[in-house]
Amino acid sequence: MIALDVVLSPLFRIEGMAPMSSVMNVFAGVLLGPFYGTVMAFICGLIRMMLLGIPPLALTGAVFGAFCAGLGYRWRTSIVSSAIGEIIGTGIIGSLLSYPVMVWFTGSQQDFYWFMYTPRFIGAACIGSIVAYVSWQKAQHLPIMKKIQQVFQGGVS
């Protein structure tokens, strides 16, 4: 999943948005659960920052989105609840926490405001969540998906 996220995120990217990262977060929430999903998102963010020169926004959005997607799935065991968790985690929590991170990263408060990243993060999370939902409708019937979910206890409370 790390490899898929690192490879697909720059390929299917809208400027300022990474909807494929949201797709992988929703899948990680369902298959891996909150802990392993968060670890996956953190490693992906670090790799994307080091190899692709992406700012720390790769971490602030992805990590909270993956964690909330995993919690959403644990709460209702539904791909929809995982997608809602992704939208809340990336779109709201991640976007708001991006402001202080970017102020620290750039050393400037000029041209920054708290909701600066929210429209792009919510947009990417919504697009990614829809793609994940459509993809999951086919993928959930594959035996390998159930095996992955059992190994990582993604569907176990």
Side-chain angles (χ1 to χ4, degrees), residues 117-142:
Y117 300 106
T118 304
R120 289 184 280 170
F121 278 42
I122 285 179
C126 287
I127 293 168
S129 294
I130 291 168
V131 171
Y133 175 81
V134 171
S135 301
W136 184 252
Q137 297 309 308
K138 294 290 183 187
Q140 70 181 336
H141 301 295
L142 299 173

Side-chain angles (χ1 to χ4, degrees), residues 35-52:
F35 177 74
Y36 290 112
T38 303
V39 170
M40 184 240 18
F42 182 76
I43 293 170
C44 290
L46 286 178
I47 291 171
R48 289 171 54 213
M49 285 171 54
M50 289 187 298
L51 296 181
L52 304 174

Side-chain angles (χ1 to χ4, degrees), residues 14-35:
I14 302 166
E15 188 56 42
M17 302 167 114
M20 285 308 294
S21 185
S22 291
V23 171
M24 297 311 296
N25 283 351
V26 172
F27 267 75
V30 171
L31 295 172
L32 307 179
F35 177 74

Side-chain angles (χ1 to χ4, degrees), residues 58-73:
L59 288 176
T60 55
V63 170
F64 295 103
F67 181 73
C68 290
L71 286 181
Y73 188 79

Side-chain angles (χ1 to χ4, degrees), residues 41-121:
F42 182 76
I43 293 170
C44 290
L46 286 178
I47 291 171
R48 289 171 54 213
M49 285 171 54
M50 289 187 298
L51 296 181
L52 304 174
I54 294 173
L57 299 176
L59 288 176
T60 55
V63 170
F64 295 103
F67 181 73
C68 290
L71 286 181
Y73 188 79
R74 289 263 172 102
W75 179 53
R76 289 285 176 141
T77 62
S78 161
I79 186 75
V80 173
S81 60
S82 182
I84 290 170
E86 166 63 17
I87 293 167
I88 291 169
T90 294
I92 298 171
I93 298 169
S95 70
L96 292 176
L97 291 175
S98 293
Y99 169 77
V101 169
M102 288 306 288
V103 167
W104 170 79
F105 184 69
T106 62
S108 171
Q109 291 184 358
Q110 291 179 318
D111 299 329
F112 284 128
Y113 54 94
W114 278 96
F115 294 101
M116 178 175 177
Y117 300 106
T118 304
R120 289 184 280 170
F121 278 42

